[in-house]
Amino acid sequence: MSDQTITSVSREHRVFRPSAEFQRQANLGSYSAYKKLYAESVNAPEKFWTRQGKELLSWRKPFKQALRWKLPHAKWFVGGQLNVAENCLDRHLGTARENKAAIIFEGEPGDIRTLTYKQLHREVCRFANVLAKLEVSKGDRVAIYMPMVPEAAIAMLACARLGAIHTVIFGGFSSEAIKDRVNDCQAKVVITADGGWRRGKVVELKSNVDRAVAATPSVKSVVVLKRTGNPVTMTEGRDLWWHDLVAQVPAEHKARGFDSENPLFILYTSGSTGKPKGVLHTSAGYLLGTTITSKYVFDLKDTDVYFCTADIGWITGHSYVVYGPLANGATVLMYEGAPNQPGPDRFWEMIDRHGVTIFYTAPTAIRAFMRWGDDHVKKHSLRSLRLLGSVGEPINPEAWMWYHTLIGKKRCPIVDTWWQTETGAIMVSPLPGVTPTKPGSCTLPFFGVIPKVLDEAGKEVPRGSGGKLFLKSPWPSMLRTLWGDDERFKRQYWSELPGYYFAGDGARIDEDGYLWVVGRIDDVLNVSGHRIGTAEVESALVSHPSVAEAAVVGRPDELKGQALVVFVIVKTGIEATKELREELRSHVAKEIGSLARPDDVRFAAGLPKTRSGKIMRRILKEIAAGGEVKGDTTTLEDFSVVAALQAQEE
Ligand code: WTA
C-alpha cells in the first residue's frame, strides 16, 4: 500500500432508494434527468448557468456573460445588475406568496411570531432606511451579532438591499472575537441585542459588544434590539435602540440594482487552526448557487415548512435559513434556543406543532439526540416530515440509520450535503427524488461540480481508495477571495495542486462513483504506513451499542508512526469499565481490521468542539501526546471540557 493514498476501511453496503411516491412529486424525479442536466452543466457550463441565471433570478440589468475565469479569480454573470434583497422578497409580492409566511419564528421561551413575505419586506425596507440614515451605503461593512431572531435576517437583508457588506458574528463568540473581526473588516455599524435566550438564561450580547467596541475605532453606531429586556448600558451618541430608529422611518424603500460581483458578505470561518479567515461572497453567483440547491436538494415547494437548525452565524444559516429558502419563496421556521430546552424533545415537539416538512441539522446534534434516548422522540408523531438533511461533518452510518429510522420513519429521504463556508452552497449531495443513498456517503456532485480525489502526485486514486478532495472548475457560489488577504486565498485554496480548488478534506470515491468524506486532511491518521480518515474509525466506535460519541487522533509512536488514541463518550446509563475499554478495542479491530485497533481508549465526559459542533482534534492530539494545549482556543465551545480531559491525564 502506498503512502500516497488513504486506506479505506469502511464496509457500508446498505442502499436506500427514493420511494416512487417521493419521486413523483419531486422537483427532479429521475436519474436520467439528473444525468442529462449534470452532463450539460459540466460540458457546457456557460449555457447551463446562463439559462439557470435567467430563470431563477430577477435582474435589473441582464448579464452579458455567465463566467469570466482567470484562475483563481472568477466573475459570474458579468455585466448584470440585481438586488439580492429584491430577489428574496419583492419578487414574491403581487403573487400568491405575498401573504404566505416567510419566517415563522419561535423564541426559546415559546413566543411565536410570523412574518409574511409582505411583512418581512416592510421590515427590511424600514431597516434599510435606518441603515441609510446611519450613513451605510454600498460597500460599507456592518457587523451583526445577534440571537436567532427575525431581526438578524432583517438586518442581513437590509444590508443586501443597500449593497452594503454584512459580517455576521456568531452570538456565542466572545468580545475578543468580535473585536478581531470588526477590526479586520473595519465595520462602521454593529447591530446587536440586549440579549438572547439560551437554556433558560439570557446571553448578554450587548456587554460583549461594549467590551469589543472599546477597541474598534471604525464603529460609529451600535444598534440594539430589545429582545430579553435585561438592563444594558447605552452609550450616548453611539448606541441606539432598534425600535426607536425604525419608528422614525417609512416602510418603503426604493432599491437599486448592484453589479453581480458586488460583495454581499464576509463570513469569518471558525477554522480549527490559525487566524480566522474572512471568506468573501458576492451577489449574483452566491444567490444563484443557494437558490438552485435549495430548489433541488431540499425539493422546496410552496407547501413546505422548512426547518434548518443552524444558527445564522454560520454559512448554513446564511445560505439555508435566509438566502436560498427566501429566494424560493419558502416558509422558514426559525428557532432561537437550545434543542433541549425545556426538554430533550423540543425539536420533535416543534416539528409536530408547526407541521415541519423538511428538517436540516448536523451529525453532532443527531448524536446528542441518540444519547438522550429514543423515548423523547417516540412521544411525537413526526408525521409531517418528508425530507431530512445533514451537514457539517461526515455522518457516521449508525447516526444515519437512527435518523432514518427514528426521525424519518424509514419514509423520508436523507440528503447528506457536503459543502463549506468557502463553497457558499451545497456541492455534493443526493437529490432526494433521484439518488439512491448509502449511509455515510454524500453521494454525487451537484450541477457544475467536478469533485476529484487525488493522491500526492495529483493523480486520480483508484476507485475505493482515498486521497485529497479537490474541485475542478469554478462554480457560481465560490468564495471570491479572503478579505484583505488575496495571497492567503491563493495559498490556502489554489496552491496544493495548480488549477484545482483544495477543500482540505480527505475523501474516497467508491465503486459506484459515490463520494465519502473521511475528515479533514490535517486529521488523517498514519498507522504503519496506512493513512486512515478519522470518520471511519469513529463510525466503527459509534456502532458499538454503548458508545454515544467518539473522536480519534494519532499520537507519535516510534514503531507504528502513530498510535491510535480514542476518546469515547458512553451512552447515558452505561458504565465506563476496563472491560468495556477492551471490548471497544476488539470491536474496532473486528469492524475495520486489526490495523485500526486503538492503542489507547479513554473515556471522557465531553469532547472539545467548535461552537458549530465540530470536534477540535488538534486539541485532542495535544492531550493525547501528553503536552499542554497550545494555539488558538477562542473558537472552543467549552474550555472546561479540555480541563477535564487533562485532569484525567494526571
Ligand atoms: C465538513 C459547513 C462530511 C468538511 C457547511 C468541510 C462535511 C467542513 C459535510 C466545512 C458532510 C461539511 N460530510 N463532511 N456532509 N459537510 N463537512 O465551513 O470537513 O463550517 O470541509 O461549512 O465541514 O465546514 P463549514
Side-chain angles (χ1 to χ4, degrees):
M1 183 61 58
S2 91
D3 188 25
Q4 313 275 293
T5 60
I6 297 175
T7 306
S8 178
V9 289
S10 161
R11 294 179 190 157
E12 181 56 60
H13 293 300
R14 289 169 287 199
V15 176
F16 297 84
R17 290 174 199 290
S19 68
E21 192 191 344
F22 195 99
Q23 276 184 309
R24 261 196 303 279
Q25 60 80 56
N27 288 342
L28 200 72
S30 83
Y31 194 73
S32 57
Y34 161 74
K35 272 191 83 166
K36 199 165 149 229
L37 280 170
Y38 179 77
E40 186 198 351
S41 75
V42 296
N43 297 329
E46 295 258 347
K47 184 168 161 242
F48 178 84
W49 290 117
T50 297
R51 190 175 72 247
Q52 300 299 340
K54 283 184 183 164
E55 267 175 27
L56 293 175
L57 301 183
S58 300
W59 296 89
R60 283 293 189 102
K61 186 175 154 211
F63 58 91
K64 293 202 181 77
Q65 189 185 353
L67 170 67
R68 196 171 294 159
W69 180 223
K70 242 182 101 193
L71 197 132
H73 295 114
K75 284 194 160 78
W76 281 90
F77 305 111
V78 183
Q81 283 185 4
L82 49 57
N83 186 294
V84 171
E86 272 187 349
N87 271 273
C88 293
L89 301 169
D90 305 53
R91 69 166 155 162
H92 306 308
L93 305 183
T95 76
R97 287 179 181 146
E98 179 167 291
N99 289 310
K100 97 174 241 195
I103 296 178
I104 301 174
F105 166 72
E106 182 161 320
E108 194 183 77
D111 50 320
I112 292 173
R113 186 153 54 115
T114 302
L115 288 155
T116 63
Y117 272 94
K118 181 150 188 153
Q119 290 166 333
L120 183 61
H121 175 255
R122 287 173 65 82
E123 296 305 321
V124 169
C125 285
R126 245 189 239 288
F127 201 66
N129 286 325
V130 166
L131 289 177
K133 258 176 96 171
L134 298 176
E135 295 181 352
V136 170
S137 60
K138 177 175 168 308
D140 287 338
R141 275 80 61 206
V142 174
I144 299 175
Y145 180 69
M146 296 187 86
M148 263 304 266
V149 293
E151 283 77 7
I154 290 167
M156 290 163 77
L157 290 162
C159 289
R161 197 167 184 95
L162 295 173
I165 307 172
H166 60 69
T167 186
V168 182
I169 302 167
F170 173 56
F173 279 145
S174 62
S175 53
E176 196 64 15
I178 306 171
K179 186 192 79 186
D180 290 348
R181 287 157 173 75
V182 166
N183 280 335
D184 188 72
C185 71
Q186 295 286 295
K188 202 175 200 176
V189 173
V190 177
I191 304 166
T192 187
D194 55 354
W197 292 104
R198 187 86 191 167
R199 292 207 177 85
K201 295 202 181 70
V202 172
V203 181
E204 295 198 4
L205 300 168
K206 175 64 166 64
S207 48
N208 285 343
V209 168
D210 289 342
R211 273 193 296 278
V213 296
T216 58
S218 63
V219 174
K220 300 288 172 269
S221 330
V222 175
V223 179
V224 187
L225 175 78
K226 194 174 240 155
R227 163 69 187 142
T228 51
N230 59 307
V232 293
T233 317
M234 297 292 279
T235 299
E236 183 81 40
R238 184 195 72 192
D239 299 354
L240 305 152
W241 285 108
W242 177 296
H243 56 263
D244 288 340
L245 293 169
V246 295
Q248 297 162 15
V249 295
E252 290 82 39
H253 175 264
K254 240 180 134 137
R256 46 184 269 236
F258 296 98
D259 190 88
S260 292
E261 284 297 331
N262 194 49
L264 180 62
F265 66 85
I266 302 166
L267 187 57
Y268 289 88
T269 57
S270 65
S272 36
T273 46
K275 171 177 173 271
K277 305 181 285 256
V279 170
L280 182 76
H281 283 288
T282 59
S283 299
Y286 171 80
L287 187 64
L288 182 63
T290 53
T291 304
I292 188 171
T293 47
S294 296
K295 176 174 170 185
Y296 291 115
V297 178
F298 296 120
D299 193 46
L300 277 179
K301 305 277 168 28
D302 266 316
T303 42
D304 279 312
V305 178
Y306 162 88
F307 181 18
C308 167
T309 67
D311 191 277
I312 224 147
W314 310 123
I315 190 67
T316 309
H318 285 57
S319 301
Y320 299 111
V321 175
V322 181
Y323 292 109
L326 295 180
N328 278 282
T331 294
V332 176
L333 175 65
M334 186 179 195
Y335 171 60
E336 176 186 34
N340 52 353
Q341 183 69 27
D345 61 341
R346 178 63 181 261
F347 282 176
W348 322 131
E349 190 268 327
M350 280 175 63
I351 288 173
D352 274 4
R353 189 156 37 77
H354 291 287
V356 170
T357 57
I358 303 171
F359 180 66
Y360 190 32
T361 195
T364 179
I366 297 170
R367 289 191 299 266
F369 305 142
M370 291 170 75
R371 185 160 81 232
W372 295 336
D374 298 357
D375 290 348
H376 299 295
V377 180
K378 288 181 180 157
K379 278 192 277 186
H380 305 280
S381 91
L382 305 182
R383 204 180 305 126
S384 55
L385 288 174
R386 69 180 190 92
L387 176 61
L388 304 175
S390 171
V391 61
E393 279 180 282
I395 179 167
N396 44 296
E398 207 62 23
W400 197 102
M401 287 305 299
W402 185 90
Y403 202 27
H404 170 72
T405 312
L406 268 285
I407 308 301
K409 312 288 182 205
K410 303 187 177 165
R411 185 187 70 233
C412 305
I414 296 179
V415 288
D416 174 4
T417 61
W418 177 85
W419 59 294
Q420 307 178 296
T421 304
E422 293 86 344
T423 68
I426 294 166
M427 296 282 103
V428 182
S429 168
L431 298 183
V434 169
T435 321
T437 49
K438 301 183 190 182
S441 169
C442 54
T443 75
L444 300 174
F446 191 73
F447 304 135
V449 178
I450 309 177
K452 293 276 181 202
V453 179
L454 307 175
D455 66 15
E456 298 293 327
K459 281 224 295 289
E460 264 182 76
V461 297
R463 292 237 163 145
S465 23
K468 292 179 180 172
L469 177 59
F470 292 89
L471 300 176
K472 193 172 182 273
S473 78
W475 63 98
S477 64
M478 66 200 287
L479 81 164
R480 298 302 195 262
T481 187
L482 292 176
W483 182 258
D485 201 348
D486 199 51
E487 285 310 309
R488 189 175 180 197
F489 163 71
K490 290 181 198 156
R491 199 167 61 238
Q492 183 90 32
Y493 304 106
W494 299 95
S495 64
E496 187 76 14
L497 188 64
Y500 288 83
Y501 170 83
F502 178 47
D505 284 344
R508 76 186 160 96
I509 294 194
D510 73 10
E511 61 283 4
D512 297 322
Y514 276 34
L515 193 79
W516 299 72
V517 173
V518 299
R520 300 295 294 167
I521 208 79
D522 297 340
D523 295 332
V524 163
L525 309 157
N526 194 330
V527 186
S528 313
H530 296 272
R531 286 158 51 83
I532 306 173
T534 49
E536 296 184 324
V537 180
E538 289 162 8
S539 291
L541 282 158
V542 177
S543 73
H544 188 281
S546 301
V547 176
E549 190 155 31
V552 56
V553 295
R555 179 185 63 205
D557 183 280
E558 276 189 19
L559 218 60
K560 300 208 270 182
Q562 276 184 341
L564 294 196
V565 181
V566 304
F567 294 83
V568 168
I569 300 178
V570 292
K571 286 201 181 135
T572 314
I574 300 286
E575 232 187 297
T577 59
K578 242 164 104 187
E579 289 71 41
L580 179 60
R581 185 174 282 148
E582 282 316 307
E583 199 179 310
L584 292 177
R585 296 183 66 217
S586 318
H587 177 74
V588 176
K590 189 176 105 238
E591 288 291 302
I592 59 185
S594 53
L595 157 79
R597 182 194 296 271
D599 297 271
D600 194 352
V601 176
R602 302 188 190 182
F603 295 110
L607 296 172
K609 290 187 181 171
T610 64
R611 289 171 191 271
S612 63
K614 290 192 216 304
I615 296 168
M616 293 176 81
R617 292 185 187 74
R618 174 173 60 83
I619 291 179
L620 290 175
K621 257 185 243 175
E622 290 169 339
I623 292 172
E628 59 181 303
V629 173
K630 295 186 289 270
D632 182 26
T633 51
T634 55
T635 56
L636 186 65
E637 184 190 36
D638 179 4
F639 197 82
S640 68
V641 167
V642 175
L645 288 168
Q646 280 173 323
Q648 222 182 26
E649 269 301 277
E650 284 148 14

